[in-house]
């Protein structure tokens, strides 16, 4: 990463992510459903090219015994610098919890699971149907695989609180305070977890797309990924509403993940317009979710907040 780019990114860290390397990787859709590396030459109709910022260590929490995250040079997604990770993490923390440390251990109104960390990773009580996935246990396993010592009292079979009321009553206990402190200390590792989840999804997005839509999805993925600020949009939406890989998921068989946004997005080229098209498509997909949702859920009440979050994807950063 060039020094000027790092300085510029640090100066606008409260805004979002800037891609800043001219080098690239390419992913092509192969006939057998696997992903193979290409050379970035040719039509975007069959090649997914990606900016590839220089890799840097992201382990600087002195209170944790962290191993250096492995370097990714494979066919999914570039390694991001510690500055870029910090930018993305700060924005996701702001999106999910307003940057409030007390919201690192939280339970949203109208939900049947607790929300943990900067990404409000879902944590269902034991025995409850985890309809939207239980990502907090995945995060804990991810941390432990990197040498992090998680609070010893944390149960692995599910959240110890079965309702928002139970969690609110426990808010000031030493255990919850310890958990909040732990989640604040490990913010950078949490965003690395989100980035790695998005990385793993990239080949699947293409391979889970019907043949007739595949060139459209690849083109739009290229357009967003190769626009400054685009990686933030892809990463945050994946954390926000998932990959959307299940064709039978969602309401009325219509999912609302990243894949659905890329499918609904109008054809775009890299640049500011790609960010606007991505944000517009994201809102159309989320509004469709609300229309398909059971009326008793009253999901319309969330649209204003979702719109504010999606609008952060529109920023062209330099």
């Amino acid at each position: 990463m060039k020094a000027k780019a790092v300085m510029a990114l640090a100066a606008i860290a409260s805004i979002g992510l800037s891609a800043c390397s001219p080098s690239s990787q390419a992913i092509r859709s192969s006939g057998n459903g696997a992903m193979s590396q290409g050379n970035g030459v040719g039509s975007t109709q069959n090649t997914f090219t990606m900016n590839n910022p220089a890799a840097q260590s992201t382990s600087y929490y002195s209170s944790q015994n962290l191993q250096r995250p492995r370097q990714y040079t494979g066919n999914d997604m570039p390694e991001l610098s510690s500055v870029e990770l910090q930018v993305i993490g700060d924005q996701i923390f702001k999106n999910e919890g307003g940057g409030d440390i007390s919201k690192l251990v939280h339970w949203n109104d109208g939900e049947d699971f607790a929300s943990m960390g900067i990404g409000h990773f879902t944590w269902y009580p034991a025995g409850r149907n985890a309809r939207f996935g239980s990502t907090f246990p995945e995060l804990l396993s991810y941390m432990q695989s990197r040498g992090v010592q998680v609070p010893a009292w944390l149960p692995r079979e599910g959240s110890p609180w079965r309702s928002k009321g139970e969690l609110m009553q426990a808010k000031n206990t030493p255990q919850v305070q310890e958990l909040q402190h732990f989640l604040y200390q490990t913010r950078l590792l949490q965003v690395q977890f989100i980035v790695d989840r998005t990385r793993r999804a990239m080949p699947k997005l293409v391979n889970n797309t019907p043949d007739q839509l595949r060139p459209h999805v690849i083109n739009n993925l290229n357009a967003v990924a190769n626009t400054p600020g685009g990686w933030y949009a892809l990463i945050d939406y994946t954390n926000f509403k998932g990959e959307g890989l299940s064709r039978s998921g969602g309401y009325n068989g219509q999912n609302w993940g990243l894949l659905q946004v890329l499918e609904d997005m109008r054809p775009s080229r890299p640049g500011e317009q790609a960010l606007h098209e991505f944000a517009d498509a994201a809102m159309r997909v989320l509004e469709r979710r609300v229309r398909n949702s059971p009326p008793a859920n009253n999901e319309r009440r969330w649209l204003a907040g979702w719109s504010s979050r999606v609008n952060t994807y529109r920023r062209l950063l330099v």
Side-chain angles (χ1 to χ4, degrees):
M1 179 179 294
K2 296 180 180 179
K4 289 184 178 179
V6 174
M7 293 175 64
L9 185 61
I12 56 176
S14 63
I15 303 177
L17 167 66
S18 172
C20 52
S21 172
S23 61
S24 66
Q25 294 179 337
I27 292 181
R28 293 183 177 180
S29 170
S30 61
N32 61 4
M35 302 302 292
S36 61
Q37 288 208 4
N39 58 9
V41 179
S43 169
T44 57
Q45 295 299 304
N46 59 14
T47 302
F48 170 40
T49 58
M50 300 178 293
N51 288 327
N52 186 19
Q56 297 182 21
S57 172
T58 60
S59 302
Y60 57 69
Y61 293 112
S62 59
S63 61
Q64 297 291 340
N65 177 27
L66 300 181
Q67 298 174 1
R68 178 186 173 92
R70 64 187 184 273
Q71 303 302 306
Y72 294 89
T73 56
N75 61 1
D76 296 334
M77 176 182 169
E79 184 83 1
L80 300 176
S81 73
S82 57
V83 174
E84 289 172 304
L85 287 171
Q86 185 68 58
V87 169
I88 297 171
D90 287 348
Q91 186 64 56
I92 291 176
F93 187 15
K94 182 178 179 181
N95 291 344
E96 292 284 6
D100 183 352
I101 189 172
S102 70
K103 299 290 180 62
L104 292 172
V105 178
H106 191 61
W107 194 302
N108 290 317
D109 290 335
E111 294 180 339
D112 59 354
F113 51 83
S115 297
M116 301 286 111
I118 65 167
H120 273 193
F121 307 105
T122 54
W123 197 14
Y124 284 81
R128 185 169 298 173
N129 179 32
R131 177 174 185 180
F132 300 120
S134 197
T135 53
F136 185 58
E138 295 177 26
L139 172 66
L140 294 178
S141 296
Y142 180 92
M143 288 182 168
Q144 287 184 308
S145 72
R146 283 150 180 79
V148 177
Q149 295 181 355
V150 304
W153 65 270
L154 283 175
R156 296 311 165 86
E157 63 275 9
S159 164
W161 315 287
R162 301 195 61 81
S163 67
K164 179 175 182 177
E166 286 186 14
L167 176 56
M168 292 302 102
Q169 287 182 344
K171 262 291 194 176
N172 295 319
T173 63
Q175 287 181 329
V176 171
Q177 292 298 306
E178 178 192 10
L179 180 56
Q180 282 185 177
H181 180 68
F182 168 77
L183 292 171
Y184 187 76
Q185 281 188 313
T186 56
R187 299 187 308 283
L188 202 61
L189 195 55
Q190 292 172 57
V191 73
Q192 183 70 63
F193 169 75
I194 296 170
V195 168
D196 286 352
R197 179 185 176 188
T198 307
R199 175 184 292 114
R200 291 192 301 270
M202 288 300 174
K204 298 176 184 177
L205 289 173
V206 177
N207 289 327
N208 279 36
T209 302
D211 290 344
Q212 67 273 19
L213 285 177
R214 190 168 296 179
H216 178 75
V217 167
I218 291 174
N219 176 77
N220 286 337
L221 190 52
N222 270 324
V224 177
N226 289 297
T227 298
W231 282 118
Y232 158 66
L234 296 171
I235 290 164
D236 183 73
Y237 195 87
T238 301
N239 180 67
F240 179 33
K241 292 302 178 188
E243 300 94 334
L245 299 176
S246 173
R247 292 285 169 181
S248 60
Y251 300 131
N252 295 335
Q254 291 184 303
N255 215 329
W256 49 74
L258 178 61
L259 180 55
Q260 286 70 49
V261 174
L262 293 170
E263 290 177 348
D264 191 85
M265 185 178 163
R266 295 184 180 93
S268 300
R269 293 179 176 273
E272 185 174 8
Q273 189 60 33
L275 301 183
H276 287 297
E277 294 292 354
F278 182 85
D280 290 344
M283 282 312 303
R284 289 194 296 270
V285 167
L286 293 172
E287 287 165 355
R288 184 181 69 194
R289 165 184 164 153
V290 170
R291 290 194 302 270
N292 287 338
S293 66
N297 289 6
N298 189 25
E299 294 196 6
R300 186 163 296 279
R301 71 188 188 276
W302 293 328
L303 274 177
W306 290 350
S307 178
S308 296
R309 180 172 188 156
V310 167
N311 280 335
T312 66
Y313 304 158
R314 301 181 185 276
R315 299 166 181 158
L316 179 63
L317 306 178
V318 294

